[in-house]
Amino acid sequence: MAYHLTEEQRMIRAMVRDFAREEIMPTAAERDRTGEFPTEIIKKMGELGLMGMNVPPEYNGAGVDTVSYSVALQEIAYADASTAVIMSVHNSVACGPIYLFGSDYLKETYLKPLAAGEKLGCFALTEPWAGSDPTSQRSTAVRDGDYYILNGTKMFITSGKNADVTVVTAYTDRDKRHRGISAFVVEKGTPGFSVGKEEEKMGLRSSDTTELIFEDCRVPAENLLGNEGDGFMIAMASLDGGRIGIASQSVGLAQACLDAAVSYARERVQFNKPISQFQGLRWMIADMATEIEAARLLTFNAAAMKDRGENYTAAASMAKVFASEMANRVAYKALQIHGGYGYTKEFPVERYYRDARVLTIYEGTSEIQRRVIAKHIIGK
């Protein structure tokens, strides 16, 4: 690896790698089959400090840098992409916005148990009519004394069923377009807040993806994140961090694909020699390894820029679009190298192939990432 990791970052990688391969990997295929949420695993990850990695210790977090977070997430994704997306969403777009924009009250009440892994968080922005364009959302929050009355339906919410705390966006003033969107922290069990349909997905099957319904849901005014009208800015800032998370997930999953392909190619004999000796396959593997390394370095670059306090929006989008598309290419080649066996559930590449597909869609599609990058380079 060309990127120099510090001793602490290497120690985190070793610790998480051991945990992921011993505790997560052996049961990943079974959870994919049953759709069972990894509750006990998430609890153990909380005890290891993986559920509040970038949150300072005073709020029960691990207080490590973003590169360490990326390294850890890559190792979790190598073992199970479903578990990795639960960890990524919780850290990036649940803990992240509360830490960056929450009042002391919100940090004490919600960030502390989230960062300790005692509670699970999710992020509710997408709606049936609002995906890539958050200003198309129809959810509203109307001030009523010491409360906001929240109404609307969110969809495709990762961990929606299992989360205890949700960061939700809604219009407080529709006339102001994106400057009229606000963000709130809503607890599970709040009257008027319910979980709707759970999606049957192609991949990431042990990570639940649900509809969230708000019907005259009374949210205390003190649960407003930042100020009224800050919601769009909060969402965009949170998604920048989230894109480093998805890029990291992509790198970890792609590495698992490469390792599986190399292992199979060494063992599979055709024409009296291992298929790893055929030039066509060797070049496929060389290309896979090169693309993974490029994606890893782009991801570490975005993470390091964030740690230095630089504007990393374009870097995060570059890492996300390249890594997510790379993971799909690598998963395709890994399955191809396995031949007919790759199409069966006997080998893990079939699951990797399905898990990889959504990487170019969620937390900003590839098309949205290119729009962000082009705006950064060309201007408006």
Side-chain angles (χ1 to χ4, degrees):
M1 185 190 293
Y3 190 90
H4 176 71
L5 296 178
T6 65
E7 188 177 350
E8 184 188 13
Q9 289 162 349
R10 290 197 301 272
M11 284 171 61
I12 289 170
R13 182 178 64 187
M15 181 270 288
V16 179
R17 179 175 292 177
D18 289 346
F19 170 78
R21 298 190 188 187
E22 289 168 18
E23 300 278 345
I24 301 175
M25 191 183 279
T27 51
E30 178 64 12
R31 283 194 308 280
D32 172 70
R33 190 181 66 77
T34 63
E36 182 191 351
F37 190 81
T39 306
E40 287 305 309
I41 287 169
I42 296 296
K43 197 172 161 187
K44 289 178 183 175
M45 287 167 64
E47 291 165 4
L48 286 175
L50 299 180
M51 301 306 280
M53 290 196 73
N54 303 138
V55 176
E58 59 260 38
Y59 298 115
N60 296 339
V64 299
D65 60 7
T66 314
V67 173
S68 297
Y69 168 61
S70 175
V71 164
L73 198 45
Q74 288 174 40
E75 293 298 335
I76 298 294
Y78 184 99
D80 180 22
S82 289
T83 304
V85 73
I86 297 163
M87 172 181 164
S88 179
V89 164
H90 176 91
N91 274 279
S92 303
V93 288
C95 290
I98 299 174
Y99 172 58
L100 291 173
F101 303 100
S103 62
D104 290 343
Y105 164 76
L106 291 176
K107 288 176 183 172
E108 282 291 325
T109 310
Y110 298 108
L111 185 59
K112 280 188 169 182
L114 286 169
E118 294 162 6
K119 289 188 175 179
L120 186 66
C122 70
F123 179 69
L125 174 68
T126 302
E127 296 185 6
W129 304 102
S132 295
D133 177 14
T135 60
S136 295
Q137 66 184 285
R138 298 180 179 180
S139 294
T140 58
V142 178
R143 185 73 186 251
D144 179 26
D146 292 336
Y147 291 86
Y148 283 90
I149 311 299
L150 189 56
N151 281 285
T153 299
K154 300 291 182 176
M155 72 183 300
F156 299 150
I157 308 305
T158 300
S159 303
K161 185 174 79 173
N162 287 280
D164 305 289
V165 176
T166 307
V167 175
V168 186
T169 59
Y171 269 111
T172 43
D173 187 345
R174 194 177 297 280
D175 293 337
K176 292 183 180 174
R177 294 286 289 159
H178 69 280
R179 290 189 177 87
I181 297 170
S182 299
F184 304 87
V185 181
V186 186
E187 261 185 272
K188 184 186 234 176
T190 303
F193 174 24
S194 60
V195 176
K197 177 190 173 193
E198 184 171 358
E199 302 295 340
E200 270 283 322
K201 304 194 304 293
M202 171 181 173
L204 302 182
R205 289 180 48 79
S206 67
S207 157
D208 65 286
T209 303
T210 67
E211 188 178 55
L212 296 180
I213 301 164
F214 301 90
E215 297 172 295
D216 292 333
C217 178
R218 294 176 68 82
V219 180
E222 60 196 358
N223 283 31
L224 175 72
L225 265 182
N227 299 307
E228 273 197 21
D230 286 349
F232 183 83
M233 177 266 293
I234 289 170
M236 293 304 104
S238 303
L239 286 169
D240 282 347
R243 286 161 186 169
I244 293 174
I246 302 306
S248 304
Q249 183 190 7
S250 301
V251 170
L253 177 57
Q255 187 68 53
C257 290
L258 175 63
D259 290 356
V262 170
S263 175
Y264 182 82
R266 283 174 174 156
E267 293 172 8
R268 175 69 168 166
V269 174
Q270 292 288 275
F271 307 102
N272 298 316
K273 58 182 177 181
I275 62 172
S276 61
Q277 292 183 21
F278 294 111
Q279 188 182 58
L281 264 68
R282 294 175 77 88
W283 284 13
M284 282 170 75
I285 286 167
D287 286 345
M288 291 159 75
T290 302
E291 286 201 61
I292 292 168
E293 189 66 6
R296 183 180 282 117
L297 293 174
L298 275 172
T299 304
F300 283 155
N301 176 60
M305 286 178 73
K306 183 184 179 194
D307 287 334
R308 292 194 298 267
E310 297 170 18
N311 184 328
Y312 67 98
T313 297
S317 284
M318 287 178 180
K320 201 272 184 184
V321 70
F322 184 83
S324 61
E325 293 186 352
M326 171 280 297
N328 276 274
R329 290 191 293 269
V330 167
Y332 177 94
K333 287 177 181 173
L335 197 151
Q336 189 73 14
I337 288 167
H338 279 72
Y341 286 115
Y343 201 64
T344 71
K345 291 189 184 291
E346 189 178 339
F347 286 81
V349 288
E350 180 270 342
R351 169 166 54 91
Y352 299 159
Y353 187 80
R354 286 184 288 106
D355 285 348
R357 187 60 192 89
V358 77
L359 295 169
T360 60
I361 297 171
Y362 62 12
E363 296 210 23
T365 62
S366 290
E367 292 71 27
I368 288 294
Q369 306 310 327
R370 289 186 169 93
R371 183 178 169 184
V372 170
I373 296 161
K375 185 179 176 184
H376 177 78
I377 294 167
I378 301 167
K380 290 188 179 178

